[in-house]
Amino acid sequence: MIFHSSTVLGFPRLVRVAACLAAGAVGGSDAMAQQPASAPPAGSSQEVHEAGPPRRIPRQQALTTAALDGSVREQVADGVMRPVGGARIQIKNLQTGQVSTTLTGGEGVFRFLLLLPGGYELRAEAEGYEALAIASISLNANEVVTLEIRLVPNGVAEGRSRLPRQPELGPPLPAEAAAMMGSYREFRHRLDSDPNYILELSPDVLPPISDVFNVVPNRWALEQPDYRRYRPSGEYIYTKPHWYDPFNRNRYKGDEPIWPSLLGQQVFLNVTASETTFIDGRKVPSPSDVSAAQAGSSQFFGRGEQFFLDQTFRFTFDLFHGDASFKPVDWRFRVTPEVSLNYLDVKELGIVGPDVRAGTTRLDSHVGFQEAFLEYKLHDLSPNYDFVSVRAGIQEFNADFRGFLFVEEQPGLRVFGDLKSDRLEYNAAYFNFLEKNTNSGLNTFSRRKQQVMLGNIYIQDFFFPGYTAEFLGAYNKDDGGLHYDDNGFLVRPAPIGSVINQGVGAISHSIQVGYFGWLGSGHIKRINITHAFYEAAGKDSFNPIAGKPVTVNAQMAAVELSLDRDWIRYRISTFYASGDRDPRNGRANGFDAIVDLPSFAGGLFSFWNREGIRLLGSGVSLTTDGSLLPNMRSNKNEGQANFVNPGIFLVNAGTDIDITPKLKGFVNFNYLRFMQTEPLEFVLFQSPIRHNIGEDFGAGVTYRPPLTENIILTGGASMLQPGQGFRDIYTGRTLFSVFGSAKLTF
């Protein structure tokens, strides 16, 4: 059964033909097959289309080859078709004799592309079916021929061949006709075949504007149709938008222009609101203090239990002009206020403040602006979205992949962009710091005498596909001055060593240190890799531990390797920060960062990384919260970098486990050692202090109920089993921490 189309199919007719193909339309009846190929069936009201002058999509080159495609199916019931997968389709060019063969896929579809125009012979075969042969198919240039082939199972054909023949039916069919037991339908569609169309384009051959597109005054206000009679429940298409729904065309989430009548159709507003509740119960080394209120507590070490609660509310208002797509924005104004309410409960006096009358609890609040900047795109550098932009104001910046050197939200001027289709990304920035609130870590409105300049460049596919390298240079100029934190403790200069000059007062000092780094992140074949190396060089005008000016020469290195096996990631890593062997020789060799927040070696699930440990008997900390470095610094946010410190060597092993798509687990182990203990011995007047810090164990989970970042629940526990060196400084008590956080985002 053959169906030929004698005219070029227009676009509406092509849509109807495609719908018939998708619905599994079957070939017509035998009576229809006997009609002439160029005329509709007798008595049909079908309109006869005459081929008009060829028209083609403007600026579309004509093709000189043809294509043949189609589907192979079996009729299993009236109007029900089943695809025949694995059928062998063979075509032969009748002029050249060239043979091409392909197999149908699981849906019974086959394709032949880039065929030479001419006559072809086709044969379709499948196991269990009678073969179908088409003696001649004509393919023209710039034409696609689509065949609907129906095969007949062998059993049906054999059953038909065994039926007794009546004499009036004539002799049986010849053997060559046995292969024609199946049927097929043929559809043809083509564009124009004029190869000089572009050179000889004239307006009279173009279709009317109304046939090409419709003018829509506001493309963002297209109404979605009501396609259900009853009110559905759950997630489904065509959801009506609401102001409280962040996922379905929300005007306040940047999905539509915020005020098109006044600001135009390319100005958007994205409002983000989040709240984070963080709870931490911990046991850390604490002094009992001589003025302790409890009798019998005159021992040097106190109980050390502490409870901390931090509740924050963060709101971001992002107004920008652009296309709301891949193209970088033309300009942007963003402001982010954050509110913090925090509570601390300890067992010993002198922890919440230097005045013991302050008791053992503290409730504090603060409001800070974490972002307030204006961004403007200076120039587009290529048609592949390469650009250069500038951003001025309070802004967030992370200098490297894992936060080893500089993670801050400070006022600054930043020039950034990309090159070579985003293969190269670069930043050049200058920051002039604000003071931080002590208990919340948020910005205040007071200036601090610290400036940071840095520049970095990221190179994608550096030697290996999937591996990105970063090269960085930074300069930290911290003039310090005299500063007490919000609880009344002296933090600049650090209250340790030669900090007071009799008759003059506290000796302030200036730090001028440059950093040079090579970092990388990505994968090399199956191995995921992250690495970092920093060299720090410069000077400190007066280090309080050394009691003199010092020159800085320190290093830091870190490597993490991981392997993904199904739903588990196995990782190992090591971290090294150089230490100072002689704290009094005028050379500072202990590495310290500007303001670090590393996500490394367990991160939040590591006791050593998360908890700050005070260096009892001094006014500084052994390590600050959110840092791997034992830098003997008074305060990470308000204190100054200290390069006379013991340094550290860490070995890590852990696993990240995708328990379910919504639940992820973490298991972590760290082994820690001091690189040099001479700075500790000098400050604590104690010798010897050995190198072994101890073992750090941690575990936790992260749960995302709706599989988005809108609700994130995190919980975990960690412990530090002291080694001999840690026992020399403190005691052999096991330190522990249990924490939980809940973050909700709109």
Side-chain angles (χ1 to χ4, degrees), residues 639-663:
Q640 292 176 279
N642 173 41
F643 297 90
V644 180
N645 63 61
I648 192 172
F649 177 73
L650 177 152
V651 177
N652 165 266
T655 57
D656 303 338
I657 308 169
D658 292 325
I659 303 173
T660 70
K662 298 182 178 182
L663 183 64

Side-chain angles (χ1 to χ4, degrees), residues 9 48 51 60 62 102 131 218 232 235 237 273 337 361 365 383 408 446 498 502 513 561 575 586 620 685 714:
L9 295 177
V48 178
Q60 176 68 44
T102 187
N218 185 0
E235 298 181 358
I237 60 175
T361 61
S365 62
E408 263 292 9
S446 301
S498 303
Q502 297 296 331
V513 175
L561 302 176
F575 180 85
V620 299
F685 301 101
T714 304

Side-chain angles (χ1 to χ4, degrees), residues 340-379:
S340 173
L341 178 67
N342 53 82
Y343 173 77
L344 177 64
D345 186 359
V346 298
K347 296 298 182 181
E348 288 78 27
L349 298 171
I351 302 297
V352 300
D355 189 349
V356 296
R357 292 174 296 178
T360 59
T361 61
R362 181 187 68 226
L363 178 64
D364 190 25
S365 62
H366 183 72
V367 179
F369 280 87
Q370 301 308 107
E371 288 181 314
F373 65 80
L374 178 64
E375 177 184 323
Y376 183 75
K377 183 171 66 176
L378 299 177
H379 192 61

Side-chain angles (χ1 to χ4, degrees), residues 468-745:
T468 300
E470 178 190 5
F471 299 94
L472 178 147
Y475 177 70
N476 178 29
K477 186 177 185 296
D478 189 353
D479 294 329
L482 180 65
H483 179 70
Y484 291 85
D485 67 15
D486 296 320
N487 299 323
F489 292 102
L490 177 66
V491 292
R492 289 199 311 269
I496 188 173
S498 303
V499 66
I500 300 295
N501 188 356
Q502 297 296 331
V504 177
I507 305 174
S508 61
H509 60 108
S510 175
I511 296 174
Q512 301 178 34
V513 175
Y515 296 85
F516 308 93
W518 171 36
L519 307 98
S521 182
H523 65 88
I524 300 176
K525 294 186 177 180
R526 291 191 59 195
I527 303 298
N528 306 308
I529 180 171
T530 296
H531 69 86
F533 174 80
Y534 280 111
E535 168 70 28
K539 63 180 181 179
D540 185 345
S541 63
F542 187 86
N543 184 276
I545 297 178
K548 63 178 72 172
V550 296
T551 58
V552 176
N553 181 14
Q555 299 80 35
M556 188 223 81
V559 177
E560 178 183 280
L561 302 176
S562 63
L563 178 65
D564 295 320
R565 294 287 301 274
D566 198 5
W567 45 276
I568 300 180
R569 168 171 288 189
Y570 302 94
R571 51 180 169 81
I572 58 173
S573 61
T574 183
F575 180 85
Y576 162 81
S578 61
D580 193 352
R581 184 183 298 273
D582 186 350
R584 302 290 287 182
N585 65 356
R587 292 189 297 272
N589 302 120
F591 182 86
D592 197 5
I594 303 174
V595 182
D596 62 333
L597 188 63
S599 175
F600 193 80
L604 192 66
F605 302 99
S606 165
F607 183 94
W608 179 266
N609 192 345
R610 188 177 70 254
E611 303 294 350
I613 302 175
R614 292 185 61 183
L615 190 61
L616 308 184
S618 70
V620 299
S621 299
L622 175 63
T623 178
T624 58
D625 56 309
S627 177
L628 293 170
L629 300 170
N631 46 20
M632 300 171 64
R633 197 166 174 168
S634 60
N635 184 295
K636 182 168 71 172
N637 292 322
E638 299 173 88
Q640 292 176 279
N642 173 41
F643 297 90
V644 180
N645 63 61
I648 192 172
F649 177 73
L650 177 152
V651 177
N652 165 266
T655 57
D656 303 338
I657 308 169
D658 292 325
I659 303 173
T660 70
K662 298 182 178 182
L663 183 64
K664 189 170 185 176
F666 304 88
V667 179
N668 187 73
F669 168 77
N670 293 329
Y671 172 73
L672 308 107
R673 288 178 60 87
F674 293 121
M675 292 303 301
Q676 309 292 339
T677 59
E678 286 81 1
L680 295 170
E681 295 176 349
F682 177 76
V683 169
L684 297 177
F685 301 101
Q686 178 181 346
S687 181
I689 295 179
R690 282 157 282 197
H691 291 76
N692 185 13
I693 299 174
E695 294 83 31
D696 180 1
F697 303 89
V701 295
T702 295
Y703 180 56
R704 301 181 302 159
L707 272 179
T708 65
E709 300 298 318
N710 295 78
I711 302 177
I712 302 177
L713 307 178
T714 304
S718 58
M719 57 178 289
L720 177 65
Q721 182 61 42
Q724 191 58 53
F726 198 87
R727 296 180 184 181
D728 292 338
I729 304 173
Y730 303 103
T731 67
R733 297 177 183 175
T734 300
L735 308 180
F736 66 87
S737 172
V738 179
F739 75 94
S741 69
K743 183 177 181 180
L744 310 179
T745 303

Side-chain angles (χ1 to χ4, degrees), residues 306-512:
Q306 298 182 4
F307 172 80
F308 179 70
L309 168 66
D310 185 26
Q311 177 68 60
T312 61
F313 299 92
R314 186 180 177 104
F315 307 91
T316 298
F317 303 90
D318 188 7
L319 184 71
F320 62 94
H321 179 279
D323 286 341
S325 60
F326 300 103
K327 183 180 178 181
V329 298
D330 300 314
W331 57 261
R332 160 178 279 139
F333 176 71
R334 180 186 294 176
V335 59
T336 302
E338 185 167 347
V339 182
S340 173
L341 178 67
N342 53 82
Y343 173 77
L344 177 64
D345 186 359
V346 298
K347 296 298 182 181
E348 288 78 27
L349 298 171
I351 302 297
V352 300
D355 189 349
V356 296
R357 292 174 296 178
T360 59
T361 61
R362 181 187 68 226
L363 178 64
D364 190 25
S365 62
H366 183 72
V367 179
F369 280 87
Q370 301 308 107
E371 288 181 314
F373 65 80
L374 178 64
E375 177 184 323
Y376 183 75
K377 183 171 66 176
L378 299 177
H379 192 61
D380 285 314
L381 303 178
S382 77
N384 299 323
Y385 302 120
D386 292 331
F387 70 100
V388 55
S389 293
V390 62
R391 180 180 293 180
I394 303 174
Q395 55 191 285
E396 180 181 4
F397 190 82
N398 184 357
D400 57 50
F401 297 104
R402 294 295 186 93
F404 290 122
L405 181 67
F406 180 79
V407 182
E408 263 292 9
E409 292 174 318
Q410 291 286 0
L413 179 66
R414 175 186 169 204
V415 178
F416 63 98
D418 59 61
L419 295 168
K420 295 187 178 298
S421 302
D422 200 33
R423 185 169 180 261
L424 303 179
E425 296 182 1
Y426 55 88
N427 293 276
Y430 165 81
F431 294 94
N432 197 334
F433 280 30
L434 294 173
E435 291 284 5
K436 295 286 187 178
N437 176 260
T438 303
N439 301 319
S440 66
L442 303 181
N443 290 331
T444 68
F445 295 97
S446 301
R447 286 287 182 181
R448 173 180 173 171
K449 298 178 181 179
Q450 182 179 4
Q451 303 168 71
V452 171
M453 291 176 287
L454 59 87
N456 62 2
I457 182 170
Y458 297 89
I459 306 176
Q460 298 185 35
D461 297 333
F462 187 72
F463 289 121
F464 302 95
Y467 168 77
T468 300
E470 178 190 5
F471 299 94
L472 178 147
Y475 177 70
N476 178 29
K477 186 177 185 296
D478 189 353
D479 294 329
L482 180 65
H483 179 70
Y484 291 85
D485 67 15
D486 296 320
N487 299 323
F489 292 102
L490 177 66
V491 292
R492 289 199 311 269
I496 188 173
S498 303
V499 66
I500 300 295
N501 188 356
Q502 297 296 331
V504 177
I507 305 174
S508 61
H509 60 108
S510 175
I511 296 174
Q512 301 178 34

